[in-house]
Amino acid sequence: MGTIRKHYPDLDHIEDDVLVTHGNALCRARGQDFVDQAKKTKQELELDGKQASAILGTAHGFCSRNAFR
């Protein structure tokens, strides 16, 4: 989450626990579930396209790095 806060200060209005919850859901989702979760995250957090891309990219990078630990 520090990455989100450091690189995307325009997301500072979103509570930490909410970001973690959505990030975890994105990490667990696969296939169509990932698409559905991405849409849900964008809608619930009221994100524009750029903000949604930031969260999706950060979650993807974090999940990929930690998948085999």
Side-chain angles (χ1 to χ4, degrees):
M1 183 169 30
T3 301
I4 291 277
R5 298 282 181 230
K6 181 178 177 184
H7 296 290
Y8 307 101
D10 58 322
L11 298 175
D12 65 350
H13 65 282
I14 302 171
E15 296 292 325
D16 292 348
D17 60 329
V18 173
L19 282 175
V20 169
T21 298
H22 281 274
N24 288 341
L26 288 164
C27 282
R28 289 188 305 269
R30 298 289 180 266
Q32 185 61 44
D33 289 338
F34 180 81
V35 173
D36 295 342
Q37 182 60 49
K39 290 177 183 177
K40 180 180 178 179
T41 294
K42 184 177 180 187
Q43 181 180 18
E44 287 185 8
L45 301 184
E46 300 177 351
L47 304 172
D48 63 29
K50 182 179 176 184
Q51 293 169 325
S53 292
I55 287 179
L56 293 173
T58 301
H60 175 73
F62 180 79
C63 298
S64 297
R65 283 194 310 268
N66 293 299
F68 301 104
R69 289 186 180 181

